[in-house]
Amino acid sequence: LVLPLYEVYDHPQQFGSVFGICIAIATGIFFATGLLGYLTYGPRVDTIVLLSIAVPDPKVGSLTEVLYCIALLCTFPFQLLPATRILERKMFGSNHSSKQLVGQPPQREAVLRSSFRTCVVVALALCAFALESHFEHFVSLVGALCCIPLAFVYPCFAHAAIVGPEDKWVFFRDCLMGTVGLGLAVFSWA
């Protein structure tokens, strides 16, 4: 979601500092919440945290689970947006509405794109349904193979390739951070 945010930001020269502050605040909140939760409940917490919440009324627990499902459904399009844009660009060409497919009206392209997005969501739902009994293993595998390298490894090595070995300290730092990211990925695979 960073690139779409950067594209619509009014002051792109300030984007890096604003984004860094936002990431630091979000990381602090997540860290504090996780630490306080662990200190409160210890290692007895289920993988799905909602199953560990003790509520006196089962209706409240059910309502919490329903609200959580609604939140997941509402945020899923935001999580899927970058991936679908990349796939759409490969399938349909440019994703700008001003560049239409030759000989096709805009409505036809919109229907094709919506159908494609629907097929992607259905395919993901089928994967989730098929892997239901091994869901936590699937999530950890996806996190280890995709998320950790995407967050820690690829940016460091891409920046090192862009900067080059001219600035030795930046190049060393990028390579060190990328290596630590590879170590984290291998550690999470085990």
Side-chain angles (χ1 to χ4, degrees), residues 67-123:
L67 291 174
Y68 181 70
C69 289
I70 290 171
L72 285 176
L73 286 173
C74 291
T75 59
F76 186 70
F78 294 115
Q79 296 171 9
L80 197 60
L81 177 67
T84 54
R85 285 216 173 146
I86 291 169
L87 291 173
E88 283 178 1
R89 206 173 298 133
K90 297 289 185 196
M91 295 283 294
F92 302 108
S94 177
N95 65 344
H96 299 294
S97 59
S98 62
K99 296 181 180 177
Q100 301 298 330
L101 296 175
V102 177
Q104 293 180 345
Q107 184 177 9
R108 178 176 165 90
E109 183 181 353
V111 169
L112 287 173
R113 287 179 187 263
S114 295
S115 300
F116 176 72
R117 291 177 191 148
T118 302
C119 290
V120 169
V121 170
V122 168

